[in-house]
Amino acid sequence: MTIVEARKPDPKKFIKGATGDWEVVIGMEVHAQVTSQAKLFSGASTEFGNDPNANVSLVDAAMPGMLPVINEECVAQAIRTGLGLKAQINLKSVFDRKNYFYPDLPQGYQISQFKQPIVGEGIIILDMPDERVEVGVERLHLEQDAGKSLHDQHPTMSFVDLNRSGVALMEIVSKPDLRSADEAKAYLTKLRIILRYLGTCDGNMDQGSMRADVNVSVRRPGEGFGTRCEIKNVNSIRFVGQAIEYEARRQIAILEDGGSIDQETRLYDAVKGETRSMRSKEEAHDYRYFPDPDLLPLEFTQAYVDELAQHLPELPDDKKARFVADYGLTPYDADVLVAEKVSADFFESVAKGRDAKMAANWVINELFGRLNKEGLTIETSPVNAGQLGGIIDLIKEGTISGKIAKDLFEIIWTEGGEPAAVVEARGMKQVTDLGAIEAVVDQIIAANPDKVAQAKEKPTLLGWFVGQVMKESRGKANPQAVNDLLKAKIGIE
Ligand code: ADP
Ligand code: MG
């Protein structure tokens, strides 16, 4: 069978080996914790950070005779996510038992979806710096999370925490469409943004609510897929990039040495910056999947799906397109603003009724720049949208210059206040009174006759004069007026 691949080999992404070029092929399996107050089949809380075993119902502890009851909200969240990924929603899906033994799995099986998942094929679009990449989503299925074994609490004993046991996860499986570590990182970033917009997963990788299994293989450009290794449970986007770089190099070295790749599961050690084998394909589990007899097939109507679709929020791709079309922003600025819904909303309230490009500039360069520096976020920003808008209004009206506006931003940042009132109280208004500016201009000209003579020959010296006048007026003179007056008086065209 020949596989028709959507993507053509791109030499820019090839990795140089000792014996020639290689192409890396990556597919991702992302486990995303469903945002829901209760677990997938029980009413126990999903709250993070509680004492071990505080969030455990009899169902989660698999007490004999307990029966799972599907949480409708988790189903709705999976459908919303499918819609956000422009995916096929399956009106009928089936829950299966995936059987294995582990102390943190009291049921002895995980309830998952195997042959008939709730969501089928979809798509995620990546806006890479010089191309648009469409990554296929193979499927999304619902499953339970397992508990956690605690090995570091006691010298000779291990404990089990079942707080996560039964928490709903969406496993989102991509097609092997990614061709570089950068693309893989962009994929995760984009998926995370979409999930956060939808409100279906908080995307919090350090709390484990989003984890990625990264499948990596290499091949000679133009050849069929190579044997892959799966790097399990990578918990940061940066580590995903590092793990891929390392793993691709490792596989290339083996192949160039005449060896072959064993299909295996590996772990990424972030401290050493390397992947290492966890188990080989030969040791792979036979999970003996079969439909869970305690659960009916999951069925809902198209009307139910349509209802959910109607209430979907505007998604990042649409928002970005709108920011470019309606506000005239560059795709780059639009990307920065839509990366978080709160940032996009903040920008829109600043831009409302104002010069949008100026608003974007102030939000991105001044505000975000400052927030990043101080480790703050939009939610904890000392300057709100109304205040930033007020600063922009003062510049637009000509009340303050761009330079003074930066000082004003500093004052509002540290002391708060209403921009117009602060400008009034501190006498920060720009001097547009031509008479006052002219007096300063005359004074500077009179004090520097030699420079005046030079400037007539070399008009670039005008900048020096502008600087002197601005200094003398402590930044408050209207720069345009200063420029015009100086040109006229010195006699520069
Ligand atoms: P499994 O269930 O055994 O992990 P799947 O066929 O579901 O296998 O694939 C899992 C992931 O591996 C998918 O994200 C897929 O895109 C990716 N994948 C499949 N083949 C390759 C390959 N040759 N190289 C890299 N990734 C691959
Ligand atoms: Mg897998």
Side-chain angles (χ1 to χ4, degrees):
M1 192 184 76
T2 48
I3 303 164
V4 183
E5 288 182 47
R7 304 195 63 188
K8 300 259 169 295
D10 177 355
K12 283 202 296 299
K13 299 188 191 108
F14 293 169
I15 299 175
K16 288 239 173 304
T19 61
D21 289 336
W22 295 88
E23 187 180 37
V24 59
V25 172
I26 305 147
M28 302 267 231
E29 297 162 277
V30 172
H31 288 92
Q33 181 178 332
V34 175
T35 300
S36 155
Q37 290 188 344
K39 296 182 178 180
L40 184 54
F41 297 112
S42 86
S45 166
T46 58
E47 199 177 312
F48 180 81
N50 286 347
D51 286 343
N53 298 308
N55 304 350
V56 185
S57 76
L58 296 173
V59 175
D60 310 318
M63 289 296 155
M66 292 299 113
L67 290 173
V69 177
I70 186 81
N71 175 349
E72 187 184 333
E73 177 56 14
C74 294
V75 173
Q77 291 287 58
I79 297 172
R80 286 185 190 106
T81 306
L83 292 167
L85 302 176
K86 318 274 185 242
Q88 159 82 32
I89 308 296
N90 296 324
L91 301 183
K92 178 179 176 189
S93 61
V94 174
F95 285 105
D96 299 291
R97 290 185 179 181
K98 179 179 180 178
N99 299 279
Y100 66 98
F101 172 82
Y102 207 74
D104 65 18
L105 188 78
Q107 280 173 162
Y109 56 84
Q110 175 194 31
I111 305 178
S112 181
Q113 295 187 307
F114 187 50
K115 286 204 181 105
Q116 290 179 261
I118 183 168
V119 175
E121 292 192 3
I123 193 158
I124 293 182
I125 292 167
L126 312 182
D127 289 317
M128 300 306 290
D130 48 10
E131 69 181 320
R132 185 187 128 108
V133 175
E134 289 187 3
V135 181
V137 169
E138 181 73 42
R139 58 187 273 153
L140 174 158
H141 66 254
L142 276 168
E143 64 184 27
Q144 300 175 298
D145 204 350
K148 195 164 84 180
S149 297
L150 307 172
H151 302 296
D152 53 1
Q153 313 282 309
H154 188 278
T156 56
M157 282 193 273
S158 287
F159 298 88
V160 172
D161 173 8
L162 294 179
N163 281 355
R164 297 192 72 102
S165 166
V167 164
L169 302 178
M170 298 178 280
E171 178 168 338
I172 302 161
V173 183
S174 87
K175 298 195 175 182
D177 285 350
L178 299 158
R179 295 289 178 270
S180 68
D182 280 347
E183 287 184 2
K185 288 196 287 182
Y187 172 85
L188 273 183
T189 306
K190 187 61 175 284
L191 175 58
R192 187 167 173 271
I193 293 174
I194 295 172
L195 296 172
R196 287 169 60 94
Y197 266 67
L198 290 165
T200 58
C201 168
D202 65 23
N204 216 325
M205 293 187 83
D206 38 282
Q207 288 182 4
S209 22
M210 201 174 137
R211 313 182 300 253
D213 297 346
V214 190
N215 295 270
V216 180
S217 65
V218 298
R219 62 177 173 186
R220 294 293 190 187
E223 287 186 352
F225 289 134
T227 303
R228 70 186 151 105
C229 290
E230 178 174 357
I231 311 162
K232 277 273 178 209
N233 266 329
V234 189
N235 64 359
S236 94
I237 293 179
R238 195 159 52 92
F239 292 163
V240 165
Q242 293 171 1
I244 292 169
E245 304 273 3
Y246 177 89
E247 181 60 19
R249 291 268 164 212
R250 187 188 71 87
Q251 294 183 13
I252 290 169
I254 292 173
L255 293 170
E256 293 198 322
D257 231 26
S260 60
I261 305 300
D262 294 330
Q263 183 170 342
E264 60 183 1
T265 305
R266 301 180 68 85
L267 278 181
Y268 180 62
D269 180 335
V271 178
K272 294 205 175 114
E274 59 186 39
T275 64
R276 60 167 176 269
S277 185
M278 195 176 146
R279 58 171 184 260
S280 72
K281 182 80 176 172
E282 289 73 54
E283 303 161 44
H285 293 110
D286 175 357
Y287 292 118
R288 295 166 181 268
Y289 280 99
F290 65 88
D292 191 316
D294 289 342
L295 288 158
L296 288 169
L298 178 61
E299 291 185 74
F300 41 80
T301 62
Q302 185 59 41
Y304 179 64
V305 177
D306 294 344
E307 171 69 17
L308 292 171
Q310 265 175 21
H311 294 96
L312 229 51
E314 181 181 37
L315 289 164
D317 287 338
D318 299 325
K319 206 182 273 292
K320 178 181 174 184
R322 183 165 63 80
F323 280 12
V324 172
D326 293 3
Y327 293 116
L329 301 189
T330 61
Y332 177 83
D333 282 354
D335 260 335
V336 174
L337 292 170
V338 306
E340 295 275 356
K341 192 170 171 297
V342 282
S343 312
D345 290 347
F346 188 97
F347 160 73
E348 287 208 271
S349 54
V350 176
K352 201 167 177 219
R354 299 195 176 92
D355 179 332
K357 285 189 176 173
M358 207 163 150
N361 191 27
W362 273 85
V363 171
I364 294 171
N365 298 321
E366 301 306 321
L367 184 66
F368 288 1
R370 190 63 196 270
L371 290 172
N372 283 340
K373 212 165 93 187
E374 311 273 337
L376 296 171
T377 64
I378 285 281
E379 286 93 339
T380 52
S381 170
V383 175
N384 64 36
Q387 289 166 319
L388 200 61
I391 297 176
I392 294 171
D393 290 341
L394 292 167
I395 306 171
K396 269 280 169 191
E397 295 157 13
T399 308
I400 55 173
S401 65
K403 189 183 167 302
I404 292 286
K406 294 195 178 175
D407 299 341
L408 177 60
F409 178 82
E410 273 309 308
I411 295 169
I412 306 280
W413 178 278
T414 45
E415 297 168 32
E418 199 271 308
V422 171
V423 164
E424 193 63 54
R426 303 211 177 195
M428 296 168 79
K429 276 192 183 171
Q430 174 165 259
V431 179
T432 34
D433 168 3
L434 284 187
I437 297 174
E438 194 170 0
V440 182
V441 167
D442 288 342
Q443 178 197 329
I444 300 288
I445 286 178
N448 299 282
D450 47 338
K451 282 237 162 48
V452 172
Q454 287 171 21
K456 284 189 210 289
E457 306 300 319
K458 202 174 159 221
T460 48
L461 264 181
L462 188 71
W464 181 84
F465 280 95
V466 175
Q468 293 303 304
V469 176
M470 293 311 279
K471 202 164 132 193
E472 188 64 31
S473 71
R474 278 177 289 125
K476 288 189 289 184
N478 179 323
Q480 192 55 51
V482 173
N483 237 300
D484 293 348
L485 274 167
L486 278 168
K487 276 187 179 171
K489 297 213 176 225
I490 298 173
I492 299 172
E493 279 304 294

